[in-house]
Amino acid sequence: MSGPTTHTGRVAVVTGGARGFGAAIATELARRGAAVAVVDRDDAAETVAGIEAAGGTALAVQADVADPDSVTAATGRILRRFGRADILVNNAGIIVAGDFFDTDYDTWRRVQAVNLDSQFLMARALAGSMRRNGWGRIVNVASNTLGLVAPHLTAYIASKGGVVGFTRGLASDLAEYGITVNAVAPTASRTPGGEAAITEEVLRLSARMQAIKRVGEAGDIVGAVCFLSGDDAAFVTGQTLVVDGGWVRA
Ligand SMILES: NC(=O)c1ccc[n+]([C@@H]2O[C@H](COP(=O)([O-])OP(=O)(O)OC[C@H]3O[C@@H](n4cnc5c(N)ncnc54)[C@H](O)[C@@H]3O)[C@@H](O)[C@H]2O)c1
């Protein structure tokens, strides 16, 4: 596999890697030399096939990252196969929009479980391996909606606020082990999940509000994730990097 060697020798775990942002992240981490476990509730065969066709190493792991037993089984399989985990990209998430008065408790809980609880479960399962090796990188996917007037997204924005808080707290707990924890906050983007939940009108409106006036795409957060998961970001932790075409100023 030819490409930059910034991640050579690392084992990366990317959740929600069957499509969208996660597939783009997994593919680029592999191109940069990492062996990548692609975790998804759906079949991640396409992402893995693309990586292998380019000469990289990848493993598809089917799991529901919101389910503790499923996470235990998936991470056990990854650690048995690769012997370690160095990088965790907590990307899996669901965008659920709806009027507050139509949002029932089950929907609220599901959004928090998939978008936030999953990041705790994955980090709890894999940070021990990073601690043993004295090196680790955790990158959590948040959202720029936290800094916007974005109606009908209360459960979603609350979950992403939790992601930022989780990132800050965990960064303090893991720094002494050589593990950094950061977040990236994308804008409304043309991914399968984005296009299913966000209307074309809102995608175009978002583009107009950004300093860079085009609709976000799956590849747009890849560079930031590679930076935060590499050696160059060794002194950066607890931060949320807004990667949204220059809309929200953090
Ligand atoms: N697309 C956007 O507009 C946008 C904007 C800001 C933030 N984000 C965030 O980016 C991340 C990725 O979103 P995307 O747009 O690529 O979405 P997507 O729906 O295209 O891809 C998400 C992937 O996560 C997987 N997934 C969902 N729930 C899962 C679960 N419980 N267990 C395992 N896998 C699961 C899906 O199967 C899918 O393959 C999410 O955290 C989302 O909140 C997206």
Side-chain angles (χ1 to χ4, degrees):
M1 184 161 246
S2 65
T5 55
T6 49
H7 291 65
T8 298
R10 303 295 186 199
V11 173
V13 179
V14 180
T15 69
R19 64 184 203 182
F21 286 134
I25 292 163
T27 301
E28 181 59 18
L29 290 175
R31 198 178 73 90
R32 289 171 180 244
V36 184
V38 185
V39 181
D40 206 291
R41 68 178 172 196
D42 288 344
D43 186 4
E46 206 178 308
T47 306
V48 167
I51 290 171
E52 289 178 342
T57 302
L59 172 73
V61 181
Q62 205 153 5
D64 177 356
V65 292
D67 177 65
D69 293 338
S70 188
V71 168
T72 301
T75 52
R77 199 177 147 210
I78 292 164
L79 293 172
R80 279 194 302 279
R81 161 74 189 267
F82 294 114
R84 58 193 288 153
D86 306 302
I87 296 163
L88 167 62
V89 183
N90 275 318
N91 162 79
I94 49 174
I95 306 169
V96 177
D99 187 286
F100 177 70
F101 291 101
D102 296 330
T103 305
D104 58 27
Y105 183 61
D106 284 349
T107 304
W108 168 269
R109 277 299 334 140
R110 183 72 192 149
V111 173
Q112 310 314 316
V114 176
N115 292 359
L116 177 59
D117 299 358
S118 65
Q119 300 199 353
F120 166 80
L121 293 171
M122 290 297 296
R124 190 69 186 75
L126 296 176
S129 171
M130 299 178 193
R131 181 172 62 174
R132 272 192 296 284
N133 296 318
W135 194 97
R137 297 282 183 271
I138 298 174
V139 182
N140 301 320
V141 176
S143 163
N144 75 343
T145 51
L146 203 54
L148 294 173
V149 178
H152 297 150
L153 283 171
T154 298
Y156 180 76
I157 295 171
S159 73
K160 295 303 188 179
V163 168
V164 172
F166 173 63
T167 300
R168 293 179 183 178
L170 194 60
S172 304
D173 286 347
L174 299 185
E176 68 182 287
Y177 308 113
I179 305 169
T180 65
V181 188
N182 292 288
V184 293
T187 191
S189 301
R190 234 183 254 298
T191 62
E195 287 189 306
I198 306 165
T199 63
E200 184 62 28
E201 190 191 350
V202 171
L203 284 172
R204 287 181 189 281
L205 174 70
S206 301
R208 282 205 301 279
M209 296 303 289
Q210 294 158 198
I212 300 169
K213 300 197 185 305
R214 66 163 176 78
V215 176
E217 293 164 11
D220 284 327
I221 66 167
V222 169
V225 173
C226 286
F227 166 65
L228 292 171
S229 63
D231 281 319
D232 285 346
F235 203 50
V236 180
T237 199
Q239 306 303 311
T240 298
L241 185 51
V242 183
V243 187
D244 74 344
W247 187 356
V248 169
R249 308 295 162 95

